[in-house]
């Protein structure tokens, strides 16, 4: 085998090793993420106990994270704004804030195909209203 072929073979082996390591790291992150999301519970908040104002909260599950600003006036949620949102798994959950305002509750139906992202956004809203983050 020529020196050039040996160098090419070594390069291919190194590249395959790097790709394999990256794939394993991604799979590990995906498993950690899934466990994190499955552990999230959503609790309703008694809005009559929340003073008027705008509250911020966040939830980070690894592959999906959300930060929100929630405005409460006279015992009602008047606005939920996604101030920061990252999801590499798809889109659609951006509709959750609008549904929370419309239904005046955190536990709205998840967006089909974006269930985990919907859960993360809902938890961020709960955290804002409870002061948990």
């Amino acid at each position: 085998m020529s020196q050039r072929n040996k160098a090419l073979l070594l390069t291919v082996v190194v590249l395959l090793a790097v790709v394999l390591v990256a794939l394993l790291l991604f799979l590990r992150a995906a498993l950690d993420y899934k466990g994190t999301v499955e552990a999230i519970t959503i609790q309703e908040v008694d809005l009559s106990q929340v003073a008027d104002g705008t509250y911020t909260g966040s939830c980070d599950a690894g592959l999906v994270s959300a930060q929100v600003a929630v405005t409460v006036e006279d015992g009602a949620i008047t606005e939920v704004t996604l101030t920061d949102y990252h999801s590499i798994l798809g889109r659609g959950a951006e509709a959750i804030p609008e549904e929370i305002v419309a239904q005046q509750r955190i536990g709205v139906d998840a967006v089909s195909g974006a269930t985990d992202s919907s859960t993360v956004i809902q938890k961020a809203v709960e955290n804002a209203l409870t002061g948990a983050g």
Side-chain angles (χ1 to χ4, degrees):
M1 185 178 278
S2 73
Q3 192 69 7
R4 182 171 183 232
N5 286 345
K6 286 180 184 178
L8 182 60
L9 181 59
L10 180 62
T11 301
V12 169
V13 168
V14 168
L15 285 175
L16 286 175
V18 168
V19 168
L20 180 61
V21 168
L23 179 62
L24 290 173
L25 290 173
F26 177 78
L27 289 174
R28 171 69 185 210
L31 289 174
D32 289 347
Y33 156 78
K34 204 62 174 157
T36 299
V37 172
E38 288 173 358
I40 293 173
T41 58
I42 305 298
Q43 301 294 319
E44 290 299 331
V45 174
D46 182 356
L47 294 171
S48 69
Q49 300 301 308
V50 179
D52 287 358
T54 299
Y55 303 90
T56 59
S58 62
C59 181
D60 187 347
L63 298 179
V64 177
S65 64
Q67 184 173 24
V68 297
V70 182
T71 302
V72 175
E73 293 177 8
D74 298 322
I77 299 171
T78 58
E79 185 175 14
V80 177
T81 304
L82 275 172
T83 57
D84 193 25
Y85 175 64
H86 300 281
S87 175
I88 65 168
L89 302 173
R91 295 290 180 202
E94 295 89 341
I96 291 295
E98 183 178 309
E99 285 302 308
I100 289 172
V101 173
Q103 296 182 34
Q104 289 298 300
R105 62 188 184 94
I106 300 168
V108 299
D109 289 340
V111 173
S112 179
T115 303
D116 293 345
S117 298
S118 298
T119 300
V120 168
I121 293 170
Q122 290 169 321
K123 190 63 175 183
V125 171
E126 177 190 331
N127 288 343
L129 294 174
T130 61

